[in-house]
Amino acid sequence: MSDRAPLGVFGGTFDPVHVAHLRLAEEAREALGLARVRWLPAGLPWHRDALRTAPEHRLAMVQAAVAGNPAFEVDAREALAHAPGYTVDTLAALRAELGDELPLVLILGADAFARLHTWHRWRALFGLTHIGLATRAGQAVDASALQPALAAELQARSRDAAHLRTAPAGAIVRFDMTPLAVSATDIRARLARGESGRYLLPDAVLEYIRRHRLY
């Protein structure tokens, strides 16, 4: 048993990190009662095509974006590994460092969750972490659209946020997120056309992009 505020874990390519990422992490922190959110910029994700932006730049942009929030912290291990990594291995490493009792919550959007069954050793994730599943306000997850084994896990493991403090791992907790139609793909295209990224990206990230001539 545990009665400690959970640590959120938020991974992604963050190419670049933008306001919707920041808002999702903040709403997860509030809705799920997280003590902190640890951001994990990916290095060379095995399930994605090669990224055009070097891990060191994506890491630096995340560090710049979260610098003003004391509840956010950045973990550089994946970004600096220079090798493809798996979430399950990262979480196992976190467990080894933080112990078996601290609740962990892996923050996922609905699209990422729908592909969870394609992740390496995906069932092992539930022994390492809870999952905080972000859904659009007022909309339920369509279990019939999920792969059957994943749908079964969602049905069996769904709990409310209060459960997160009582166990270190194993639950799926849904929470509402503010829908923001902001995407890294669109931002990269805008910047490539010479258009403004202001108000889509934190000012510190925009300055980093300008200084290093990214995108």
Side-chain angles (χ1 to χ4, degrees):
M1 294 288 291
S2 175
D3 190 26
R4 301 171 64 184
L7 171 68
V9 178
F10 187 29
T13 54
F14 304 123
D15 190 19
V17 59
H18 53 66
V19 294
H21 294 133
L22 291 161
R23 190 62 203 168
L24 173 57
E26 180 69 1
E27 293 185 1
R29 185 191 63 79
E30 289 186 330
L32 303 178
L34 307 178
R36 302 183 312 285
V37 175
R38 180 172 295 193
W39 295 61
L40 272 159
L44 301 172
W46 64 270
H47 61 294
R48 297 285 294 271
D49 294 335
L51 300 173
R52 58 182 292 179
T53 310
E56 291 82 359
H57 285 313
R58 292 185 285 104
L59 171 63
M61 286 189 284
V62 171
Q63 290 170 329
V66 308
N69 190 330
F72 289 170
E73 57 192 42
V74 182
D75 190 318
R77 75 184 71 207
E78 289 190 1
L80 301 182
H82 298 289
Y86 297 108
T87 299
V88 67
D89 293 333
T90 298
L91 288 168
L94 284 174
R95 272 278 165 239
E97 295 166 13
L98 301 173
D100 294 333
E101 295 302 314
L102 177 67
L104 299 179
V105 182
L106 179 64
I107 301 167
L108 295 179
D111 290 344
F113 181 79
R115 299 189 298 272
L116 190 66
H117 64 285
T118 69
W119 292 22
H120 179 63
R121 295 179 57 219
W122 69 277
R123 290 183 187 275
L125 293 171
F126 297 113
L128 296 166
T129 185
H130 301 295
I131 290 177
L133 173 54
T135 56
R136 291 179 180 271
Q139 296 185 7
V141 176
D142 182 5
S144 67
L146 299 176
Q147 189 264 357
L150 182 58
E153 294 287 0
L154 176 62
Q155 180 177 9
R157 296 181 180 277
S158 290
R159 302 287 189 275
D160 61 23
H163 180 84
L164 297 175
R165 296 179 69 102
T166 69
I172 300 173
V173 176
R174 285 169 269 196
F175 68 97
D176 287 345
M177 61 172 284
T178 302
L180 297 174
V182 181
S183 79
T185 300
D186 176 67
I187 290 171
R188 291 195 301 270
R190 286 175 181 271
L191 296 177
R193 294 192 298 265
E195 297 174 4
S196 172
R198 196 174 188 186
Y199 307 123
L200 297 172
L201 302 163
D203 288 344
V205 174
L206 274 171
E207 173 58 23
Y208 186 92
I209 290 170
R210 185 201 63 76
R211 189 165 68 250
H212 293 274
R213 299 180 180 180
L214 304 179
Y215 312 116

